[in-house]
Amino acid sequence: MENSGTLTKKDGTKNNPIVLHKKLSSRSLLSKHMPTTNTPDFSKFSKGNGLTNHVMNIITAKELSLDEMKIALFIYEQYCFGMLMGIELVALRVENSVKEALIAPKNIYAKSPSLKEVTKYPIPKTTLLEMLKKENVILEQPKNLPTYLNKLHDLGLITLTVFSLKNDIERIENNSVSIEYAFIELNSGIINAKIHRRWGKPKNEKPVSEPPAEANKALTLATDLATISKNKIKKTRK
């Protein structure tokens, strides 16, 4: 699997911004399950309809576990109702002894690798795991969250940039603890692309006679998510 979570250390300032991972980069897991697609460019696929199109894309991805489906659905929900320009800045790991470092008001600057423009993002006040728990999205293996995000990246569902800030590292005594952040960008092309019937089978994989248990559980979760999304849309339109 491509190491999308290579940790970089920058100031995150306007003069030394975080450079986001290139969106149209090679994703080995994507090419394994969809041999005709090496990068997350889904413009060639026909378009689906409605909010549930991408839900189907997620729950039919055989590579994903139930935990990974939950995270993918949560990111999609955040994209629909709150993410900044399709990109969300989150804290991945914050020890209790250094949580105060996140409270101080400040921003992190980042830029696309192909653009000069720098964008300012408010620093997160909580971790991604805490965000999930707040919405009652409970993971069976929460310690594997970074691994799950890497898999979503390598499957082309998101683009992930993991980093830590130099000033955070320097503020912590003996450099024994660090705070890790991540930019999570939902690859917008996949939202409308109708690919749930296009996921291929990896070589040497035995045929499956019935859907895996994880997919059945995720379908129930997706139905609940769709209901919540529709209710939010109704409230927004009032």
Side-chain angles (χ1 to χ4, degrees):
M1 181 181 297
E2 177 189 348
N3 186 9
S4 57
T6 300
L7 190 66
T8 60
K9 296 179 181 179
K10 287 200 171 187
D11 294 333
T13 60
K14 193 170 184 178
N15 294 327
N16 188 20
I18 304 299
V19 179
L20 301 177
H21 195 286
K22 186 178 179 182
K23 190 182 291 187
L24 294 182
S25 57
S26 177
R27 314 290 174 95
S28 59
L29 198 56
L30 175 62
S31 61
K32 176 183 177 183
H33 287 269
M34 197 173 292
T36 59
T37 306
N38 187 45
T39 65
D41 178 6
F42 302 97
S43 59
K44 61 184 177 182
F45 295 103
S46 59
K47 292 185 177 181
N49 296 314
L51 289 170
T52 59
N53 179 73
H54 187 50
V55 173
M56 289 298 296
N57 291 340
I58 293 170
I59 67 175
T60 54
K62 297 173 62 177
E63 181 70 25
L64 298 180
S65 67
L66 178 59
D67 274 356
E68 290 157 349
M69 289 181 185
K70 287 180 178 180
I71 296 168
L73 289 168
F74 176 78
I75 291 172
Y76 178 48
E77 197 272 347
Q78 290 290 293
Y79 171 82
C80 292
F81 302 104
M83 289 175 71
L84 176 63
M85 297 172 54
I87 303 175
E88 182 152 357
L89 173 63
V90 298
L92 292 184
R93 184 182 66 166
V94 184
E95 300 294 337
N96 289 332
S97 59
V98 297
K99 275 196 173 182
E100 292 182 0
L102 292 180
I103 303 303
K106 62 177 180 177
N107 299 293
I108 291 178
Y109 292 82
K111 65 178 292 294
S112 166
S114 58
L115 299 175
K116 292 183 178 180
E117 182 180 357
V118 176
T119 303
K120 180 174 65 175
Y121 299 87
I123 197 165
K125 298 292 192 297
T126 185
T127 66
L128 177 57
L129 192 58
E130 289 169 336
M131 292 170 61
L132 290 165
K133 288 181 179 179
K134 182 179 179 180
E135 299 299 329
N136 202 29
V137 181
I138 308 302
L139 303 181
E140 295 179 3
Q141 300 291 333
K143 65 180 180 180
N144 293 334
L145 179 58
T147 302
Y148 295 154
L149 290 172
N150 269 290
K151 184 180 283 187
L152 295 180
H153 171 96
D154 206 25
L155 200 57
L157 298 178
I158 65 173
T159 297
L160 180 68
T161 306
V162 180
F163 65 96
S164 64
L165 299 177
K166 287 181 179 179
N167 54 0
D168 277 334
I169 299 297
E170 294 167 357
R171 278 207 302 266
I172 299 168
E173 292 183 1
N174 301 322
N175 293 337
S176 58
V177 180
S178 65
I179 305 174
E180 290 180 7
Y181 305 92
F183 278 104
I184 300 175
E185 182 175 6
L186 182 63
N187 291 335
S188 57
I190 199 174
I191 297 174
N192 297 317
K194 192 175 181 179
I195 63 172
H196 65 273
R197 295 180 181 176
R198 306 293 292 268
W199 291 113
K201 292 182 179 179
K203 294 180 179 179
N204 302 322
E205 181 181 351
K206 295 181 180 180
V208 179
S209 57
E210 60 183 23
E214 288 84 357
N216 290 329
K217 292 179 182 178
L219 183 57
T220 301
L221 178 68
T223 302
D224 294 340
L225 175 67
T227 302
I228 294 171
S229 298
K230 288 179 181 178
N231 291 337
K232 286 185 177 180
I233 291 175
K234 289 179 181 178
K235 290 181 181 179
T236 302
R237 290 176 177 174
K238 286 183 180 180

